[in-house]
Amino acid sequence: MSTAKNQKAKRVTTHTIQEMKNSGEKISMLTSYDYSMAKIVDAAGIDIILVGDSASNVMAGHETTLPITLDQMIYHASSVVRAINRCLVVVDLPFGAYQGNSKEALTSAIRIMKESGAHAVKLEGGEEIIESTERILSAGIPVMGHLGLTPQSIYKFGTYVVRAKEEEEAKKLVEDAMALEEAGCFAIVLEKIPSKLAKMVAEKVRIPIIGIGAGGGVDGQVLVIHDMLGINQEFSPRFLRRYNDLYNGIKGSVEQYIEDVKSKDFPNEKEQY
Ligand code: KIV
């Protein structure tokens, strides 16, 4: 007889994500990069964990997402996969691991799937990465697209301002979203674009659109966990809602610990053998 404790949670798949869009249930997605955090996020009931290349910023302290390597992404992803019981795990293909050619893109995606046990990969870009996307999909690997502000191209854009405000860029974004759907992507992230445009794309394509700074008219939302928990205090864009103040929570605990050690309050009689 199975008990509540040993019952396996029903896994979220790319099909579940599509069913959510079809039924109007919003999709929740957050980043995680390590075992302990992913365990909490999965237990809370998140639908998708993104092992984002934002690890380059929040885990490694780089200014951009460009320096993180494929090996480092695999390390983060395998730590996350060991923690989860239910959610879908999507991993960013890092800068330099897929832009060269479609063969290289497939090799990188296969390494992520084989070495981390993740369920899907995410690539930034539209028309220019369609060949790579199709080649990865032909190997049976689900692909999530990413349009709008694509941080791996920051040196092309020059700034992190809102994208696709002008008609020409908006038109290209819509065409790119349709091309990614046509190629077979199971979902697309739209980052930092006008909410009206994001809603229009979500209505135009059948696959789920997950927004970050793209308003409420899309099929789901994603945030970087360090930002929404208030661990990272340096980043405060308008779209970010902070659900905690862990920077001060952790700092306060560390200050208390230091004081307890210095004052010989820790360890007490009960905290020793
Ligand atoms: O790397 C990342 O965390 C991302 C999200 C911001 C969507 O791509």
Side-chain angles (χ1 to χ4, degrees):
M1 202 176 88
S2 66
T3 62
K5 209 168 171 203
N6 66 21
Q7 251 167 19
K8 272 208 156 224
K10 191 166 183 290
R11 301 300 284 244
V12 178
T13 66
T14 55
H15 295 278
T16 322
I17 297 300
Q18 183 64 55
E19 280 164 15
M20 286 179 180
K21 169 156 184 157
N22 298 347
S23 69
E25 179 183 344
K26 297 282 183 184
I27 300 157
S28 61
M29 174 159 135
L30 278 174
T31 65
S32 294
Y33 319 96
D34 69 274
Y35 176 85
S36 301
M37 187 70 88
K39 211 170 170 62
I40 300 169
V41 173
D42 183 62
I46 203 80
D47 297 316
I48 306 175
I49 285 183
L50 171 66
V51 184
D53 58 0
S54 49
S56 181
N57 310 110
V58 297
M59 299 299 286
H62 293 297
E63 201 177 313
T64 71
T65 58
L66 275 64
I68 200 159
T69 65
L70 185 58
D71 284 337
Q72 287 165 340
M73 288 304 297
I74 290 169
Y75 166 77
H76 287 297
S78 59
S79 307
V80 165
V81 169
R82 281 192 289 277
I84 60 105
N85 205 15
R86 174 186 171 272
C87 69
L88 185 78
V89 178
V90 181
V91 183
D92 266 336
L93 278 189
F95 178 69
Y98 63 99
Q99 288 91 348
N101 58 57
S102 62
K103 186 161 178 273
E104 189 186 0
L106 177 60
T107 306
S108 301
I110 288 176
R111 276 203 62 202
I112 286 189
M113 301 299 282
K114 253 183 161 11
E115 296 177 39
S116 77
H119 311 128
V121 296
K122 176 162 82 59
L123 277 70
E124 293 184 7
E127 197 57 52
E128 58 286 0
I129 54 123
I130 287 295
E131 195 187 312
S132 297
T133 301
E134 284 172 345
R135 196 147 178 182
I136 295 169
L137 283 161
S138 72
I141 301 171
V143 177
M144 178 180 273
H146 184 156
L147 298 170
L149 177 64
T150 46
Q152 291 179 12
S153 309
I154 187 58
Y155 290 118
K156 186 173 101 186
F157 298 144
T159 70
Y160 287 98
V161 295
V162 179
R163 305 302 312 172
K165 277 167 96 173
E166 304 305 326
E167 202 181 319
E168 202 179 317
E169 198 182 339
K171 187 168 167 278
K172 162 127 173 54
L173 187 139
V174 175
E175 284 165 6
D176 280 343
M178 288 167 71
L180 290 173
E181 174 179 44
E182 180 70 26
C185 285
F186 77 91
I188 302 171
V189 166
L190 291 183
E191 181 165 353
K192 219 170 176 186
I193 64 165
S195 56
K196 241 170 117 175
L197 175 63
K199 183 170 185 289
M200 198 258 270
V201 174
E203 284 165 0
K204 212 171 174 71
V205 300
R206 290 177 308 274
I207 57 173
I209 298 295
I210 300 174
I212 172 164
V218 291
D219 307 304
Q221 299 293 327
V222 56
L223 286 175
V224 169
I225 195 147
H226 288 66
D227 300 336
M228 63 85 79
L229 292 179
I231 297 172
N232 176 16
Q233 300 247 315
E234 292 133 45
F235 185 64
S236 325
R238 188 205 298 197
F239 68 75
L240 175 63
R241 185 178 294 182
R242 284 223 175 94
Y243 287 84
N244 216 314
D245 179 19
L246 285 194
Y247 177 90
N248 285 311
I250 295 170
K251 185 163 171 276
S253 302
V254 173
E255 284 167 353
Q256 184 64 56
Y257 168 74
I258 295 168
E259 197 183 309
D260 290 353
V261 170
K262 301 278 182 195
S263 67
K264 302 182 190 144
D265 178 77
F266 176 78
N268 64 23
E269 282 298 314
K270 288 191 198 142
E271 291 163 332
Q272 54 191 297
Y273 300 99

